[in-house]
């Protein structure tokens, strides 16, 4: 495949921004133009180019009369939101950076204006969790009859707004409703409520299912949960406890997140961490974070991990990640699970197959291949194919309108 940056993480993230073009989230050349001016591995330059693109598209959106031309306004607003969100992506290594909140306010403002201009406007709601609030968005199919509904959440770093362009629009095109939400650790909750990830993801999902059941547009027998990226762990975890879900889609499947994190920090640091030598673990990992020469996957991955788990201590972060395994709960999952897998998975290699094997007959394991252009983590760049395969599966297990 054509490489979009010599930096492996930048390459993936540029592809991820390009990918949302399939469903109104970007324009290809706007992204390529920004990407062409980014210095590989330079987080400031990434911020600068995407915020420049966002500012420019903000001007385009503002100049459109949204009463006269609602579709044009919506298109520009969705793109503007995407570029603000992208500008923020590599900034979480420094929690006091004011841009983390400033960019998010602009991102949400543009996105909210865009969904208000959908044929059936998206509706924001705030649901009450156990000790936290859950921001969610309901996207109706437009039908007055109860319809199947796909609830969805993002992962380690993604926003619920990104999911509009990943799967919501594809769900609406198939005549179903969609609901997106965020829980602790995810972008808006992390910022507004200062909360990191919690392992008991059912505590987030259950209020969303309650809310769905309260809407007349929702067919109570056909509620599915899709988890994207790290959500490929969170969704099956929630389904072990929330049995009103009739199906789960894991894009891609993830069985033991804690183990993957230890594998990524390597055997030496893992050994020191196991010995309880937290001083050395923290000094070493903080040193890697502060060094601009550290490879981007490591520097970004750790920075994002500390931020989203809301701890300044790398060893405490590693501690926390150990609770994220399906080992003791996988047998409690009752519904069918679509387990997506990627031939060139770079974040969680082998995990999807492992989840599918543990689920046995409850799983449909699907390997997306590089030959189909779908071999990357989460099939990024092959969103239409990902939706074809996973949503056809959903309809085939009974989600019919
Ligand atoms: C973090 O951001 C703040 C605010 O912009 C700045 O003053 C500080 O120097 C930054 N810290 C590091 C380590 O870059
Ligand atoms: C921690 O690890 C370092 C480096 O291996 C070692 O020198 C030190 O003695 C260890 N500290 C403890 C308390 O085990
Ligand atoms: C990690 O967990 C162990 C065992 O629960 C605990 O003793 C230790 O204090 C924790 N360390 C950190 C840095 O949170
Ligand atoms: C993707 O995986 C296939 C099968 O393992 C391998 O042949 C191919 O080289 C990989 N492609 C990339 C870009 O890593």
């Amino acid at each position: 495949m054509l490489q979009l940056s010599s930096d492996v993480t930048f390459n993936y993230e540029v592809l991820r921004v390009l990918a949302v073009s399939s469903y109104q989230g970007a324009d290809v050349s706007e992204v390529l133009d920004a990407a062409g001016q980014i210095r590989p591995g330079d987080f400031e330059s990434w911020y600068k180019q995407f915020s420049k693109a966002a500012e420019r598209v903000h001007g385009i959106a503002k100049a459109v009369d949204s009463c006269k031309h609602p579709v044009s306004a919506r298109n520009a607003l969705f793109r503007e939101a995407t570029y603000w969100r992208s500008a923020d992506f590599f900034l979480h290594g420094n929690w006091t950076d004011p841009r983390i909140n400033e960019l998010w306010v602009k991102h949400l403002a543009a996105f909210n204006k865009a969904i208000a201009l959908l044929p059936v406007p998206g509706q924001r709601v705030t649901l009450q969790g156990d000790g936290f609030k859950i921001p969610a968005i309901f996207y109706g199919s437009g039908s007055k009859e109860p319809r199947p509904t796909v609830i969805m959440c993002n992962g380690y770093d993604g926003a619920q707004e990104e999911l509009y362009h990943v799967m919501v629009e594809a769900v609406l095109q198939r005549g179903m409703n969609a609901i997106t939400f965020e829980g602790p650790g995810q972008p808006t909750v992390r910022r507004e409520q200062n909360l990191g990830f919690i392992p008991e993801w059912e505590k987030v999902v259950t209020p969303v299912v309650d809310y769905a059941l309260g809407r007349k547009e929702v067919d109570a027998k056909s509620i599915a949960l899709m988890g994207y990226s790290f959500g490929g762990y969170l969704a099956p975890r929630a389904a072990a406890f929330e049995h009103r879900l009739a199906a789960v889609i894991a894009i891609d499947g993830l069985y033991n997140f804690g183990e993957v994190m230890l594998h990524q920090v390597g055997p030496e640091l893992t050994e020191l961490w196991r010995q309880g030598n937290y001083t050395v673990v923290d000094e070493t990992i903080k040193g890697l974070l502060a060094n601009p020469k550290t490879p981007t996957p490591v520097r970004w991955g750790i920075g994002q991990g500390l931020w989203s788990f809301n701890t300044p201590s790398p060893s405490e972060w590693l501690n926390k990640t150990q609770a994220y395994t399906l080992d003791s709960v996988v047998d409690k999952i009752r519904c069918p699970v679509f387990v997506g897998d990627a031939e060139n998975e770079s974040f969680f290699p082998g995990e999807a197959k492992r989840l599918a094997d543990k689920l046995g007959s409850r799983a449909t394991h699907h390997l997306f291949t590089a030959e189909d252009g779908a071999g990357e983590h989460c099939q990024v760049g092959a969103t239409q194919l990902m939706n074809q395969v996973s949503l056809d599966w959903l309809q085939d297990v009974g989600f019919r309108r």
Side-chain angles (χ1 to χ4, degrees), residues 14-283:
V14 171
L15 184 61
R16 179 169 167 184
V17 185
L18 279 177
V20 299
S21 312
S22 289
Y23 299 96
Q24 300 192 62
D27 247 354
V28 170
S29 291
E30 276 172 355
V31 179
L32 291 179
D33 180 60
Q37 297 174 67
I38 291 170
R39 280 185 301 278
D42 179 341
F43 292 7
E44 278 301 316
S45 124
W46 176 284
Y47 156 77
K48 199 173 148 207
Q49 296 307 329
F50 274 109
S51 58
K52 205 170 95 186
E55 198 65 67
R56 206 175 39 74
V57 179
H58 174 72
I60 295 174
K62 241 172 71 177
V64 179
D65 179 340
S66 63
C67 295
K68 263 168 82 186
H69 308 294
V71 175
S72 299
R74 185 218 305 155
N75 286 167
L77 288 161
F78 269 142
R79 295 187 342 261
E80 179 193 342
T82 297
Y83 305 148
W84 289 128
R85 190 167 67 237
S86 301
D88 163 77
F89 195 78
F90 287 100
L91 296 181
H92 305 163
N94 181 358
W95 296 10
T96 60
D97 189 333
R99 294 174 296 182
I100 294 175
N101 286 327
E102 287 163 9
L103 292 165
W104 213 250
V105 168
K106 293 177 179 177
H107 155 246
L108 292 178
F111 190 85
N112 288 344
K113 285 186 213 155
I115 59 173
L117 295 169
L118 285 168
V120 181
Q123 290 173 33
R124 282 225 178 237
V125 287
T126 303
L127 309 174
Q128 188 60 52
D130 181 9
F132 51 86
K133 290 192 164 24
I134 304 163
I137 308 174
F138 181 83
Y139 298 95
S141 73
S143 163
K144 289 199 172 57
E145 300 300 313
R147 287 286 171 90
T149 301
V150 184
I151 295 175
M152 50 188 104
C153 68
N154 217 315
Y156 194 63
D157 53 66
Q160 65 170 325
E161 290 77 23
E162 180 190 25
L163 293 177
Y164 179 82
H165 314 289
V166 170
M167 192 182 263
V168 169
E169 197 167 285
V171 163
L172 298 175
Q173 287 170 352
R174 287 159 174 82
M176 302 186 279
N177 308 303
I179 303 175
T180 62
F181 68 92
E182 284 181 15
Q186 297 189 317
T188 296
V189 179
R190 173 64 182 81
R191 283 173 175 83
E192 293 181 355
Q193 300 174 59
N194 199 31
L195 294 172
F197 275 110
I198 56 167
E200 306 87 357
W201 203 246
E202 61 280 6
K203 289 188 175 169
V204 191
V205 170
T206 287
V208 184
V209 175
D210 289 342
Y211 166 72
L213 290 171
R215 295 206 61 129
K216 60 181 180 348
E217 302 95 324
V218 173
D219 171 1
K221 289 199 189 64
S222 301
I223 299 176
L225 175 63
M226 188 283 277
Y228 195 57
S229 192
F230 178 43
Y233 167 83
L234 299 171
R237 157 75 205 199
F241 298 89
E242 178 46 81
H243 294 129
R244 294 172 296 178
L245 296 169
V248 166
I249 297 175
I251 305 286
D252 296 323
L254 174 53
Y255 184 77
N256 189 335
F257 176 71
E259 213 176 274
V260 176
M261 289 301 109
L262 289 178
H263 186 76
Q264 289 188 0
V265 302
E268 279 154 38
L269 282 173
T270 296
E271 189 48 34
L272 286 166
W273 173 78
R274 285 200 201 285
Q275 288 165 3
N277 198 332
Y278 299 130
T279 318
V280 171
V281 171
D282 284 359
E283 273 172 10

